[in-house]
Amino acid sequence: MRKVGGGRNFGWGKQMEWAGKQALRAAFGGGHYGTVASHTARWRKFCEWTREQGVRDARDVSSSELAQFAEHLSQQAGKALSNGYAKNQLTSVNVVLESLRGDRALWVRPSDYIGQRSSVRTDAPVGLDRDRFQPVIERLVAQGKERVVAVALLCREFGLRRKEASLLDLRLASHQAGQLGRINVVVGTKGGRGRSVDRWVPATDAGRHAIQFAERVAEGNANLVPASRNLAQWLTYVSKHWSRSANPLNGGSLRDLRAAYACDRYTQLTKAPAPVIAGQRIANTAVDQAARQVLSQELGHRRSTVLVSYIGSSR
């Protein structure tokens, strides 16, 4: 239901932050929870900034305020903020203002203020060499953090995101891996795509061992999220303890493990090393593009162009 035009914050609520969240929920039809949460978090920062400028009602936000905020971010980009985050911040403000107003009368192009960035990966992922991150695994096991290890292994062997690995139905995955040689990732997927799109990922011997380890440390539970924590708490816990152990040993991030899976899989599909490893594309264009299509499906992306951040350039 549209509420544009009536009262404070275009009728969405008395508080600017709350109103933006409600407008987002309506714009996304009550779904896309992760997307709404990300936009809301960035919108909150904009609301904090506008309060400092004396603006507490979205109806009072003008192109001047928006441009000033963009300039404020541009001064922080590359220093306190990465260019990517600064651009995402502006994009979220655009999206929320459009949801509140019902038009694009207030809209700023992030690239007009924030420097260009390259998303093409140029360094081979650390996790490509399993021996390289084995000390991280051993350290976490010694600390009793086996569930964190299980999440990391699932990320490495199946290219899963942290949330997907945490919520994977281990019993079903074990059955699928054993009987079908692949698993279907349907829970915890980005944008909830798993509810409508199958995402089959092949199960190697290392992948089956990762599932078996996860089943063992889950102690009979369907997934790796412990009963003592909610999902948000668990995901924070996983990231904190992995980074604490991985950073001193250069073991790579959890996303780095996902990129390692992509590089391995690319080699399986093309019989050539990933461009980020070889320093250039070795496979011919048709084979390279076909592999990227397969990988985009297995990693849960809609566009194969995203693969440059995992395996390097296609040029």
Side-chain angles (χ1 to χ4, degrees), residues 209-227:
H209 290 152
I211 293 174
Q212 291 167 5
F213 179 81
E215 279 191 293
R216 187 165 66 252
V217 302
E219 299 177 328
N221 293 325
N223 59 50
L224 289 167
V225 182

Side-chain angles (χ1 to χ4, degrees), residues 35-303:
T35 301
V36 170
S38 296
H39 284 317
T40 299
R42 298 179 194 128
W43 172 251
R44 182 180 304 116
K45 294 183 181 299
F46 177 68
C47 292
E48 292 170 356
W49 182 85
T50 58
R51 279 198 297 271
E52 293 176 358
Q53 315 307 310
V55 176
R56 297 173 179 272
D57 188 332
R59 293 176 300 176
D60 296 328
V61 176
S62 67
S63 57
S64 175
E65 275 80 30
L66 195 55
Q68 288 177 41
F69 181 67
E71 185 61 35
H72 165 71
L73 289 177
S74 73
Q75 294 172 5
Q76 294 183 306
K79 301 172 185 176
L81 301 176
S82 69
N83 283 353
Y85 185 84
K87 284 187 174 183
N88 288 340
Q89 178 75 64
L90 278 180
T91 297
S92 290
V93 172
N94 283 337
V95 170
V96 179
L97 285 173
E98 180 182 1
S99 300
L100 284 166
R101 297 171 54 90
D103 61 37
R104 282 196 175 190
L106 284 183
W107 189 272
V108 62
R109 288 179 56 190
S111 58
D112 287 346
Y113 292 87
I114 312 299
Q116 297 296 321
R117 61 169 175 168
S118 172
S119 61
V120 178
R121 191 180 188 101
T122 56
D123 297 320
V126 175
L128 199 60
D129 181 357
R130 290 179 176 82
D131 291 337
R132 186 92 174 261
F133 72 87
Q134 185 60 31
V136 184
I137 300 296
E138 293 172 357
R139 173 183 287 193
L140 286 167
V141 169
Q143 295 171 352
K145 305 293 191 303
E146 288 93 347
R147 291 196 186 211
V148 176
V149 170
V151 170
L153 291 176
L154 291 173
C155 290
R156 172 61 181 88
E157 305 306 339
F158 293 98
L160 303 185
R161 299 178 176 93
R162 174 190 55 165
K163 182 179 178 181
E164 293 164 349
S166 296
L167 293 175
L168 184 70
D169 185 327
L170 298 172
R171 299 189 194 100
L172 179 59
S174 180
H175 173 76
Q176 291 174 337
Q179 298 298 313
L180 305 174
R182 56 181 184 165
I183 66 171
N184 193 11
V185 184
V186 297
V187 183
T189 53
K190 193 171 184 179
R193 295 186 71 208
R195 291 192 295 270
S196 58
V197 179
D198 283 333
R199 180 175 149 202
W200 290 98
V201 183
T204 60
D205 287 342
R208 283 187 282 272
H209 290 152
I211 293 174
Q212 291 167 5
F213 179 81
E215 279 191 293
R216 187 165 66 252
V217 302
E219 299 177 328
N221 293 325
N223 59 50
L224 289 167
V225 182
S228 59
R229 301 175 188 273
N230 63 36
L231 179 59
Q233 292 170 337
W234 170 244
L235 296 179
T236 299
Y237 180 89
V238 169
S239 293
K240 179 176 71 174
H241 287 285
W242 178 262
S243 62
R244 279 182 178 178
S245 294
N247 288 347
L249 300 175
N250 192 23
S253 65
L254 290 173
R255 191 174 188 278
D256 187 86
L257 299 182
R258 189 163 138 87
Y261 166 84
C263 289
D264 267 355
R265 184 71 171 126
Y266 180 91
T267 298
Q268 293 172 6
L269 293 167
T270 67
K271 311 305 180 187
V276 71
I277 298 171
Q280 60 180 334
R281 175 172 57 79
I282 303 298
N284 69 49
T285 301
V287 172
D288 174 86
Q289 290 302 311
R292 288 172 190 268
Q293 288 293 338
V294 172
L295 272 170
S296 65
Q297 189 275 329
E298 292 180 357
L299 291 172
H301 286 291
R302 290 184 175 88
R303 296 173 291 112

